[in-house]
Amino acid sequence: MTAATVRRGTAFAPRAARIGLYVFLVVSAVFFILPLLLVIMNSLKPMEEIRQGNLLALPVNPNLEAWATAWASACTGLDCAGIRPGLWNSIKITIPSVVISTLAGALNGYALAQWKSRHANMIMLLITVGLFIPYQAMLYPTVKILSTVGMFRTYAGIVFVHIIYGLPYTTLLFRNFYVGIPDEISRAARMEGASFLRTFWSIILPISTNILVVVAILQFTGIWNDYLLGLIFAGNDNLPMTVQLTNIVGNSRGVANPNVNMAAALITAIPTLVVYFLSGRYFVRGIAAGAVKG
Amino acid sequence: MSSISLRKIKKSFGALTILHAVDMEIDKGEFVVILGPSGCGKSTLLNVIAGLDECDEGQIVIEGKDVSGLEPSGRGLAMVFQSYALFPAMTVRRNLSFGMEIAGTPKATVTEKVAWVAKLLQIEALLDRKPGQLSGGQRQRVAIGRALVRSSSICLFDEPLSNLDAKLRAETRVELKQLHETLGSTMIYVTHDQIEAMTMADRVAVMHKGKVEQFAHPQSIYEKPASLFVAGFVGSPAMNFLEGRMDDAGRFVTADVPIDIDGYAFEGARPSGEAVLGLRCEDIVVVEPGTPRSVPAKLAFTELLGADALGWFDCLGKRFSVRLGVEAARSMHKEVGLRFDMAKASMFCAVSERRL
C-alpha cells in the first residue's frame, strides 16, 4: 500500500515529495537506532572511558570486558554470577508459555469463529474485556489462587500465569483470522467425516502459518520481556533474565558500572532481536494477509 | 424403494422460518434439481439433508434408514460446495483421499479409488498440485472428484457451477449429466439457474419461501406450472399474465373485455371469481386485426435473438411478449390481433395462486 501511495505521489508532485519522504524515513530510522547504537558503544568501553563522562564519544579501546562481567560475574543482590543463570530460566519459562498459549489460542479462536450464536459473541466480548484489565488489578487474586493450589512461586506457576494472561490476546487474534476463512472448508471436512479436532489439526492449522508466526512472535516478545509477573510468580530459583537485569542495574553495593549494565541489557535483548530478524518476513506477511486465498 | 424421503422438514433461524414442512420423495438414481430464487431455503434444505444443519422438526430417511439425528459422515452422502471448499494446504491427491483416510480405508483401495476418479474426471496431471495452483474449472473438477471418490450412492451439489464462466458452465453441465448416467447415483442439485434445472433434471422441485411449490418433470413445470410463482419464475421471457375474473357465462373477463377460454382444461370444475390467465410467448399467435377470437394489439418493438425474435405488444393494458420468426418480426405491422392458444395456457386462482 505504501509503495502505491508513493508512486501515485510522484506522478502528481515533482521529486520534492519523494526527497521529503526519504528525509523523513532516514530521520525516523536514526531516531530509533540512535539509542541502540549508544548502548552498544558504551557497553564496549572500559570504565576509564565511561568516567570521562562523554556518552557520545566513540570507544577508544573497545573490548568485551563489560560483556564478560555482565554475563558471568556481575552481582545480582548477594550472588555474583552475572546474568547467565537468568538466561536458562527465561528460556524454560518462555518456550512452553509461548507454544501452549499460541496453540490454545488457535484452538479457542477456531472454535469461537465456528460457533455462530449470541453466546459466542458474548464470550468473545468477555475475552476482549480481559485484554483491557491491567495485570496489576489481577495480581492479588492470582497470587491468592496460586498459593491456594500450591503453585505460587513455582516454575509451573509462572508458566501457567503467562499462558492464562496470554490467552485473551492469542484467542482474539486467531479468532479474527479464522473468521475470514470460508465456512465451507470446515463443512467440507465435516462431510468427509473429520472431527472438530481433526479438522483443526489437518486442515486449519496448516493454512495458519502466517498468523501462527505473528502470534508466536508477539507472545515471545511479551513473555521474554516480562518483568512484573516473573518477579512475583517465578520464585527465587526461576527468576528470568529481566529480573536479574534489574538487580544488576539496581545493585547499590559498590560503584555503578554503566558499561556492565548496558552489556547486560543487550544480552537480555538479544533473543527477541534474533527471533524478529529470523521471522520478520513472516511477521510482515502475516500482518498484511487479511484472509487466506484458496 | 425411494432413495431419500423428506417428511415434514421444518427449520427456522430465530423468528425466521426458512423451511415450512417440506415433503419430498426422491427415487434411486434420480437427478433432482432444487430450483428457486435466493433466500427460498433451497441451500438450507440441502444442508439439512447433508446433516450440516439440523432440522427443527421432521424426518429424513435415506435408503430406509432414519438419519435425522446422524452426523453428516454417518449418512453416506457426498457434497460439492459452491466455493469448492478444497483443503488449501493439501495436494489434490490428499484432497481426494482425506475422507477415506479418516474412514480407515486400506491404502491400496485408496490409491485405486483416487486413480479411478482422476481418470474419470481427467485430473490425473493435477494430482500433485495444491488447489491454489489450479484454475476455477480445475478446482471444480477436483471438488466433484472428492465427492465421487468414495462412491457414495447419493451426491449433493450446492450451486456448483455458479462460479464458472458461461462457456465452462455449459460444458460442465453436460459432463455432470453424463457422469450421472455413467454412475447411476442419486443426485440432488441446488441451483437458481433454470437452464441447469431444465437441462439436467429428471425432476425439478421449485421452491419459494420455504415451500416446495411443484415437484415434477422439467417439461411439465414449464407447460403446466402448478402455481403463479412457478409460472413466473420458470421460462424466459417471463410468462405473460392477465388479471381478471370468471363471469357467470364461464368466460374470462379482463379490463371489461371477455376472452373465450374454450379449450382450456381445468384441473377441476370450472371456477368463478378472480383469476389470472398466463400465456407463454410461444402460445400466442399474431393474426390480422379483427380476426374472430383475437384481441387487438399494438406493436411496441421487436428484439432479434438470432434464431428467432420476440415481439413486444401493448394489449389489454399490458405488455405482451410473443415469439416470432425472424422474417415475421421484420415485416410486422403496427396494428395486429393476438390469438391465445388456450390449450397451452395456464389459469390460476388470484387468491390461492394455485393452478385452476
Side-chain angles (χ1 to χ4, degrees), chain A residues 182 184-185 187-194 198 202-203 206-207 292-294, chain B residues 47 51-53 71 73 81 83 85 88-90 98-99 101-102 132 146 150:
Chain A
E184 287 197 339
I185 290 185
R187 290 178 154 239
R190 215 171 136 204
M191 286 304 293
E192 297 289 307
R198 181 70 200 254
S202 299
I203 291 160
I207 54 177
V292 189
K293 282 180 186 156
Chain B
N47 284 332
L52 291 170
D53 282 339
E71 265 291 288
S73 51
F81 293 86
S83 68
M90 294 183 185
F98 184 65
E101 217 175 275
I102 288 170
R146 187 175 63 186
R150 281 182 299 150

Side-chain angles (χ1 to χ4, degrees), chain B residues 221-244:
Chain B
I221 297 247
Y222 187 79
E223 286 169 1
K224 293 202 179 319
S227 72
L228 204 53
F229 172 79
V230 177
F233 186 71
V234 177
S236 172
M239 191 184 257
N240 302 298
F241 289 121
L242 274 174
E243 289 85 12

Side-chain angles (χ1 to χ4, degrees), chain A residues 5-17:
Chain A
T5 323
V6 172
R7 216 170 296 131
R8 213 171 299 135
T10 41
F12 290 102
R15 295 188 121 170

Side-chain angles (χ1 to χ4, degrees), chain A residues 255-269:
Chain A
V255 286
N257 294 335
N259 55 347
V260 173
N261 293 348
M262 290 187 192
L266 282 171
I267 296 173
T268 311

Side-chain angles (χ1 to χ4, degrees), chain B residues 161 164-176 196:
Chain B
L161 305 186
L164 300 179
D165 64 59
K167 185 164 174 282
L168 207 51
R169 200 180 308 162
E171 287 169 14
T172 317
R173 211 166 62 205
V174 175
E175 267 181 72
L176 261 181
E196 285 173 20

Side-chain angles (χ1 to χ4, degrees), chain A residues 137-160:
Chain A
M138 298 190 276
L139 281 179
Y140 182 66
T142 316
V143 169
K144 265 310 221 194
I145 292 168
L146 285 189
S147 45
T148 310
V149 298
M151 277 166 73
F152 182 51
R153 293 173 77 78
T154 62
Y155 170 61
I158 179 67
V159 171
F160 180 74

Side-chain angles (χ1 to χ4, degrees), chain A residues 2-212:
Chain A
T2 330
T5 323
V6 172
R7 216 170 296 131
R8 213 171 299 135
T10 41
F12 290 102
R15 295 188 121 170
R18 171 155 287 224
I19 292 170
L21 184 76
Y22 277 110
V23 169
F24 172 72
L25 288 177
V26 168
V27 169
S28 331
V30 169
F31 182 77
F32 283 106
I33 205 98
L34 211 56
L36 181 65
L37 281 179
L38 277 181
V39 172
I40 293 174
M41 263 159 51
N42 287 293
S43 74
L44 296 174
K45 289 178 188 170
M47 266 317 279
E48 302 86 69
E49 288 182 39
I50 298 273
R51 278 195 208 97
Q52 287 159 12
N54 191 353
L55 213 61
L56 296 172
L58 284 172
V60 184
N61 277 320
N63 62 59
L64 288 173
E65 214 162 291
W67 284 66
T69 313
W71 176 242
S73 63
C75 292
T76 62
L78 292 175
D79 310 330
C80 288
I83 207 166
R84 187 165 49 179
L87 176 69
W88 173 240
N89 285 342
S90 277
I91 291 175
K92 75 177 188 195
I93 290 171
T94 305
I95 290 183
S97 307
V98 169
V99 170
I100 297 174
S101 65
T102 304
L103 286 180
L107 188 60
N108 270 352
Y110 179 55
L112 282 169
Q114 282 291 298
W115 186 22
K116 305 231 172 353
S117 79
R118 275 177 305 143
H119 306 291
N121 288 335
M122 207 49 220
I123 289 177
M124 203 56 233
L125 192 72
L126 287 176
I127 289 176
T128 319
V129 168
L131 276 178
F132 289 111
I133 299 178
Y135 284 174
Q136 287 80 346
M138 298 190 276
L139 281 179
Y140 182 66
T142 316
V143 169
K144 265 310 221 194
I145 292 168
L146 285 189
S147 45
T148 310
V149 298
M151 277 166 73
F152 182 51
R153 293 173 77 78
T154 62
Y155 170 61
I158 179 67
V159 171
F160 180 74
V161 167
H162 275 306
I163 293 171
I164 296 298
Y165 280 16
L167 271 179
Y169 196 42
T170 56
T171 302
L172 181 77
L173 286 171
F174 276 106
R175 186 254 180 199
N176 288 349
F177 177 78
Y178 288 140
V179 160
I181 291 183
D183 233 14
E184 287 197 339
I185 290 185
S186 303
R187 290 178 154 239
R190 215 171 136 204
M191 286 304 293
E192 297 289 307
S195 63
F196 174 80
L197 283 177
R198 181 70 200 254
T199 307
F200 174 69
W201 186 255
S202 299
I203 291 160
I204 300 302
L205 263 193
I207 54 177
S208 316
T209 329
N210 289 340
I211 189 80
L212 278 171

